[in-house]
């Protein structure tokens, strides 16, 4: 935000610096007319700032306010100094909304500060005393000013002051002008929409008010008049169209607006509920326009009637191009994101469908809104498609193809091929009296001019823009070409001559979506973040655009040349493939012409020498499950960490329970050596399958996405994504002998999707995810980059050819696959070349039954000449790698194929809930010239839980280890047809964990399950699951309740489990008997979600709290609610603790318990459960912040295990600290500072140690006596659960679905 002083000599700016911290800067404007702008002072602040005001008397002073704070600032000695104003003089108020100054003679400073609140209060502050002098509540009825009924308060959103008036805006849409003492309302103006801001003019006679729908109005207080100054869209303008004196715009705010070009005033406003318009075009001879929407809907509107006339055929996806054809009255063309063009023509009073043409336009949303362009006479349309390398021209009579141009084959003026694979981005017609031409802007920053009849290249120009060209248009007379890109407009001579320097005009602050000339060609309209209306001035020497804030600079000159272009050849036909259910047969795909084998001698010629340059290209999130998608996490690793010196650590990571099913190919198993590695969160676990011992590779900050092991098992590479602590992804290189990290590679900006070592381990291949599909080849000699490029599609799988050196392949979205060849230069490694070839894909393989393009998700080389490929539709395809031709394909499953691994004549595939072993005898002898087909049959089939994400098998494909997205690792043995669970984990966040007798523990999760584990072996022993519910909390009965439940007592040798109670988000409690592995009782004491539950110390009662602050005490025997406690209603109950009383302070009652709520309140109770006694002992209210109830940090309170009169407490308070409160002394006896807010806490059995889990992903061990602490990192999210063992020798911690066991070295 920016704020000028009244004198105009100072400017205050408030924003965020590069690290995201709030910063305030003061500038001196005294010398600005001479080009000198100096910084007077600047400062950083940790408090939030929502409004600011400069002192009208002393411009060196200012005031800022946040939702819960008011800060006074002053410039002194070149620095900004701050003073906070305490607002806690009375009852708790709602959030602050605005602040302003008012000149007065009542204070020494000559001004008074007024602060408005959403609660309807106006706080008056004396700036000299930095103190509140009065608080007044504003109410809609003046007679209620002194009343205290909260229902009549005005919720103030903004406020301004003049010498004699106050103005306020409120949530009810009213603008009110008040007397100086707020005694009554002078003027009241009602609006239908919410108001954002109000400000007085310098004379105080008028006020300017802005609304949430983009309008700006002025109110004259003296004359009681109201006038709307302007209206505007409130979001990005996606497209526009011009028709004589009208301008139509569509915006992401969901509105369609019609403006007058003559007056620039809005005339009409259209909208359809739930729809977002994205394209607009006017019909030439009438006041009709058509509009396309993101949903695929197309509607025709009438401007004079101000209503919708008709609905046209709805397409499957977003409308990316829409245009009426001038000269062909009533002809309308539009296309969607899936490439379908539809042609309509008016017939009487309606529209008649002429033709629908699928797969005609390249499928990419970046083409919107200009995917279709129409020639000036309306006879032809042009588009990029059917691929990104082709521009197609069609007639508008029946969409018959007239011309097809391949822009990727256009060479440089010197005759040399263009160094990168160029693609078309924007197309426009250029029509003059003597020519009919086509303009094409490419991804290589080239502007090409073709003859629209013959396809001959007439001229080319480079570079046009640094980034992508978002719009191209020619002037009405055809003399000039205008391009949009890099947030600016450039004007070129239409001849594209090198000796004519273009002009550049700025004004837009973001992408320019559309350019359009008015009918007379005298004006240009540009749309993006806003709409600009330019005067187009023609001259013999140059052309220019006239605007008030235009900056011009010359561009570099470029050469032009005339070359012929080649038309694309038709796709090679192929035949369909028949399948059966169990025994699957396939037909060969026959192709016309002779195929030349791709041998090492001619491999270079077979591959096109073109590197795909796709850096900066944005892709949507892939729908394929195969693609790694980082789990949503709100936390980041703490920047400040205090770790112990070597040999002085208080904790040691002992074991990790769980497997990350969200990652892909994150399991390594080497049958010959027995090496077994898998990941959980940001830790890689090296486990000995013989004795179950673990060693841990810790070096990552974020969740590990994938891993790869060298063939000699000497080096492991693990990859994780970027975060606040790591600007780029991390690829850790581990020495498997010492388990030490050799180095960390950081080249990918986002997560790494795939890793693979080549056959001789000399190269490592890494591929980024869909956000940045960068392909990098690393030299394993010194871990430097050998080659890098960008894929033109999101890659799902990348792997080296295990039979041929320096060859690899990638498969990914939209049925794309590429074969790559790395050509080394042994004398100079920096001169290595990377060649690629993207083969033709049969339509039967490329499209599913619904006609949608499938995705290639998995691949495996099964011989030196054959590759097997899996698709998202469940098909398997066999490819000949010598000719890069698909030989056969068949339906293998009904769901996506996630994993393929094969050896010779056996093949294993993994999909959703299924693992298949295929007998593929004869596949490796098949070639594209074969006339007979082998049978492909399923010889083994296993049902697994979840989608298969990784698989490792021995050379005979008999034994293997398979992982699924449910967090489970399975041992597979095909010869015995068995699958055994090796590792288990929750599918969602762990919500609670408790210790159970013996060497075990119990966890609950948001996935609705409760799991009982054996700690020594990390095995899952039993599980309970409630479908569709989240289990939020659990508790074990502390004593044997056999006599209470009237069940036989276990024998001395029998293993005994206590009862377990669990709380769910539907308000229910369930009691489980772990000895019988069954649920014995269900209670419904609440209607809101249960957040915490606890057995009393004698097991006679169950105490439960909810997110609404209600507490219920229930009987585990009868299930009846004994007591409801509502004293803490309004704030979630986040902690309950019970123990036997050890002090006479509790009225000689044997039990004591407490409950803590999110608003920092703790109630302490004494009870005698057998006699139905429960008495309030103390009520504690710890200092809290204003937004404590909305914060996601819990209040945690526990009794000291050795003294029930001492309470350990931490919460979202004034300071980050753990406080020890004595019930006997009625005060805090000790406060231990924390560096981070605590999410979880537990106290050791002897009370000397505290363990905390923090939002910074730290496990913090604290010495209560010394008040010292140590931080330990191993989790990939905030640590929501921690627990000491009964003897205090180890600690369990949980974050996300990860559970870690730590050995405590300090006792």
């Amino acid at each position: 935000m920016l704020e000028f002083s009244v004198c105009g000599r100072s400017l205050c700016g408030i924003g965020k610096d590069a690290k995201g911290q709030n910063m305030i800067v003061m500038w001196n404007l005294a010398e600005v007319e001479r080009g000198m702008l100096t910084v007077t002072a600047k400062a950083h602040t940790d408090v939030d700032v929502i409004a600011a005001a400069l002192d009208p008397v002393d411009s060196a002073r200012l005031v800022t306010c946040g939702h819960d704070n008011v800060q006074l600032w002053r410039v002194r000695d070149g620095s900004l100094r701050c003073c906070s104003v305490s607002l806690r003089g009375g009852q708790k108020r709602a959030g602050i909304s605005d602040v302003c100054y008012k000149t007065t003679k009542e204070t020494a400073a000559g001004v008074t500060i007024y602060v408005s609140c959403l609660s309807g209060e106006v706080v008056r502050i004396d700036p000299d005393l930095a103190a509140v002098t009065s608080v007044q509540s504003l109410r809609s009825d003046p007679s209620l000013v002194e009343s205290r009924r909260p229902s009549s308060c005005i919720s103030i959103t903004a406020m301004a002051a003049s010498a004699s008036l106050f103005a306020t805006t409120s949530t009810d849409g009213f603008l009110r002008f008040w007397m100086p003492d707020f005694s009554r309302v002078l003027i009241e103006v009602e609006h239908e929409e919410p108001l954002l801001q109000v400000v007085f003019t310098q004379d105080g006679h008028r006020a300017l008010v802005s609304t949430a729908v983009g309008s700006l109005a002025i109110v004259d207080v003296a004359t009681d008049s109201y006038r709307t100054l302007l209206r505007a869209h409130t979001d990005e303008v996606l497209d526009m169209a011009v028709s004589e004196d009208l301008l139509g715009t569509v915006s992401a705010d969901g509105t369609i607006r019609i403006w007058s070009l003559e007056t620039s005033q809005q005339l009409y406003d259209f909208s359809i509920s739930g729809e977002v318009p994205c394209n607009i075009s006017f019909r030439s001879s009438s006041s009709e326009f058509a509009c396309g929407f993101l949903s695929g809907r197309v509607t025709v509107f009438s401007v004079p009637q101000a209503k919708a006339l008709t609905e046209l055929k709805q397409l499957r996806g977003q409308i990316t191009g829409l245009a009426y054809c001038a000269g062909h009255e009533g002809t309308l063309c539009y296309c969607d994101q899936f490439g379908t063009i539809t042609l309509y023509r008016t017939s009487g009073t309606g529209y008649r469908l002429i033709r629908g043409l699928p797969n005609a336009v390249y499928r990419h949303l970046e083409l919107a809104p200009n995917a279709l362009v129409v020639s000036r006479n309306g006879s032809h349309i042009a588009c990029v498609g059917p691929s990104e390398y082709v521009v197609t021209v069609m007639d508008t009579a029946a969409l018959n193809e007239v011309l097809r141009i391949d822009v990727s084959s256009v060479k440089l003026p010197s005759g040399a091929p263009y160094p990168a694979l160029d693609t078309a981005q924007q197309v426009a017609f250029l029509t003059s009296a003597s020519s009919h031409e086509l303009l094409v802007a490419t991804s290589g920053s080239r502007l090409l001019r073709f003859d629209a009849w013959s396809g001959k290249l007439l001229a080319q120009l480079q570079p046009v823009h640094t980034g992508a060209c978002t719009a191209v248009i020619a002037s009405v007379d055809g003399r000039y070409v205008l391009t949009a890109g890099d947030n600016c407009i450039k004007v070129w001579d239409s001849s594209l001559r090198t000796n004519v320097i273009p002009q550049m005009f700025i004004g837009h602050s973001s992408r320019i979506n559309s350019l359009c000339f008015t009918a007379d060609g005298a004006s240009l309209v540009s749309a993006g973040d806003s709409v600009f209306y330019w005067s187009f001035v023609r001259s013999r020497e140059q052309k220019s655009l006239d605007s008030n804030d235009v900056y011009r600079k010359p561009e570099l000159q470029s050469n032009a040349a005339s070359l012929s272009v080649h038309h694309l050849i038709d796709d090679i036909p192929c035949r369909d493939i028949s399948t059966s259910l169990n025994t699957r047969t396939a037909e060969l795909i026959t192709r016309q012409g002779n195929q030349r084998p791709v041998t090492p001698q001619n491999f270079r010629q077979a591959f096109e020498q073109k590197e795909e340059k796709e850096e900066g290209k944005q892709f949507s999130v892939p729908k394929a499950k195969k693609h790694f998608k980082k789990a949503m996490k709100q936390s980041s690793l703490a920047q400040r960490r205090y770790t112990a010196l070597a040999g002085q650590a208080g904790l040691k990571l002992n074991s990790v329970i769980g497997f990350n099913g969200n990652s892909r190919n994150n399991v390594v198993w080497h049958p010959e050596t027995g090496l077994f590695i898998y990941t959980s969160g940001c830790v890689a676990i090296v486990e000995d399958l013989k004795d179950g011992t673990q060693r841990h590779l810790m070096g990552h900050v974020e969740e590990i996405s994938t891993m790869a092991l060298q063939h000699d098992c000497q080096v492991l590479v693990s990859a994780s994504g970027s975060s606040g602590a790591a600007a780029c992804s991390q690829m850790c290189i581990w020495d498997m002998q010492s388990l030490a990290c050799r180095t960390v590679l950081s080249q990918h900006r986002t997560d790494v999707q795939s890793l693979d070592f080549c056959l001789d381990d000399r190269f490592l291949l890494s591929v980024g995810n869909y956000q940045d599909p960068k392909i990098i080849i690393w030299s394993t000699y010194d871990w430097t980059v050998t080659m890098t490029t960008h894929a033109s599609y999101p890659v799902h799988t990348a792997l080296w050819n295990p039979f041929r050196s320096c060859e690899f392949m990638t498969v990914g979205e939209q049925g794309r696959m590429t074969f790559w060849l790395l050509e080394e230069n042994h004398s100079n490694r920096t001169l290595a070349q990377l060649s690629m070839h993207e083969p033709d894909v049969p339509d039967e393989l490329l499209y599913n039954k619904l006609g949608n393009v499938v995705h290639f998700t998995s691949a495996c080389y099964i011989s030196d000449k054959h590759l097997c490929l899996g698709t998202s539709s469940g098909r398997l395809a066999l490819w000949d790698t010598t000719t890069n031709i698909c030989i056969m394909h068949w339906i293998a499953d009904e769901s996506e194929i996630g994993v393929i691994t094969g050896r010779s004549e056996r093949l294993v595939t993994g999909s959703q809930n299924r693992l298949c072993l295929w007998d593929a005898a004869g596949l490796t002898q098949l070639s594209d010239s074969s006339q007979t087909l082998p049978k492909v049959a399923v010889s083994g089939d296993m049902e697994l839980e979840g989608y298969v994400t990784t698989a490792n098998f021995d050379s005979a494909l008999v034994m293997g280890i398979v992982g699924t997205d449910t967090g489970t690792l399975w041992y597979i043995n095909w010869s015995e047809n068995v699958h055994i669970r090796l590792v288990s984990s929750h599918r969602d966040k762990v919500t609670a964990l408790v210790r159970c007798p013996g060497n075990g523990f119990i966890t609950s999760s948001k996935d609705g399950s409760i799991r009982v584990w054996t700690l020594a072996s990390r095995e899952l022993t039993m599980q309970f699951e409630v479908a569709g519910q989240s289990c939020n909390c659990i508790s074990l009965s502390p004593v044997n309740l056999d006599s209470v439940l009237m069940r036989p007592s276990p024998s001395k040798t029998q293993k005994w489990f206590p009862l377990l109670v669990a709380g769910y988000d539907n308000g229910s409690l369930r009691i489980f008997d772990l000895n019988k592995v069954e649920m014995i009782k269900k209670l419904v004491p609440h209607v809101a979600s249960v957040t915490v539950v606890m057995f009393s110390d004698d097991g006679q009662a169950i105490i439960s709290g909810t997110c609404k602050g209600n507490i219920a005490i229930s009987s585990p025997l009868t299930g009846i609610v004994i007591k409801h406690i509502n004293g803490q209603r309004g704030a979630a109950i986040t902690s309950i603790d019970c123990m036997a009383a050890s002090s006479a302070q509790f009225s000689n009652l044997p039990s004591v318990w407490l409950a803590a709520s999110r608003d920092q309140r703790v109630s302490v109770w004494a009870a005698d459960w057998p006699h139905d006694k429960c008495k309030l002992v103390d009520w504690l209210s710890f200092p809290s912040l204003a937004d404590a109830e909305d914060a996601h940090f819990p209040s945690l309170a526990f009794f000291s295990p050795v003294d029930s009169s001492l309470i350990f407490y931490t919460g979202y308070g004034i300071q980050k600290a753990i406080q020890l409160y004595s019930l006997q002394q009625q005060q805090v006896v000790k406060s231990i500072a924390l560096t981070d807010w605590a999410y979880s806490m537990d106290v050791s059995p002897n009370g000397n140690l505290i363990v905390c889990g923090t939002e910074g992903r730290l496990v913090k061990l604290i010495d209560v006596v010394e008040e010292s602490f140590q931080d330990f990192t191993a989790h990939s999210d905030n640590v929501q659960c921690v627990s000491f063992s009964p003897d205090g020798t180890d600690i369990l911690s949980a974050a996300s679905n990860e559970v870690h066991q730590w050995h405590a070295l300090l006792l």
Side-chain angles (χ1 to χ4, degrees), residues 103-125:
T103 56
T104 180
K105 296 181 180 179
E106 299 177 5
T107 61
V111 292
T112 303
I113 298 172
Y114 289 85
V115 178
S116 63
C117 303
L118 294 175
S119 60
E121 294 172 323
V122 175
V123 182
R124 184 178 177 181
I125 298 173

Side-chain angles (χ1 to χ4, degrees), residues 328-332 343-347 350-354 396-398:
H328 290 63
E329 182 60 29
T331 300
L332 175 66
L343 178 66
Y344 271 91
R345 190 167 290 120
T346 53
S347 176
Y351 283 76
R352 179 169 57 94
L353 177 63
I354 302 299
T396 55

Side-chain angles (χ1 to χ4, degrees), residues 417-432:
Y418 192 69
L421 193 61
D422 215 358
T423 61
Q425 288 185 329
Q426 297 292 330
V427 183
F429 280 101
L430 189 152
T431 304
S432 63

Side-chain angles (χ1 to χ4, degrees), residues 862 866-869 876-880 885-890 922-924 926:
I862 61 175
H866 295 88
L867 170 78
C868 192
L869 183 147
L876 289 176
L878 186 68
W879 289 74
D880 188 334
I885 294 176
C886 181
I887 305 173
M888 59 180 285
H889 55 83
W890 68 97
L923 283 184
T924 55
L926 201 61

Side-chain angles (χ1 to χ4, degrees), residues 705-780:
S705 59
T706 187
M707 294 192 304
L709 180 70
Q710 279 188 349
H711 296 85
D712 59 6
C713 299
Q714 297 300 308
V715 174
L716 174 79
V717 180
S718 57
S720 63
S722 60
S723 68
C728 295
S729 65
Q730 292 180 298
M731 290 172 52
C732 294
I733 312 299
W734 305 93
D735 186 326
M736 296 312 297
Q737 298 298 322
S738 62
L739 297 186
C741 182
R742 291 184 184 178
T743 185
V744 178
L745 310 179
S746 298
Q747 285 287 335
H748 292 281
R749 295 198 303 268
T750 56
D751 296 288
V752 177
Q753 171 67 22
S754 186
L755 292 171
D756 194 30
F757 282 98
C758 68
L759 178 62
D760 54 9
D761 289 334
R762 291 191 300 117
F763 297 110
L764 169 69
L765 172 66
S766 65
V767 181
N769 72 345
Y770 71 96
Q771 295 172 306
D772 182 25
K774 190 176 185 179
I775 300 174
I776 302 178
I777 300 175
W778 307 81
S779 170
T780 58

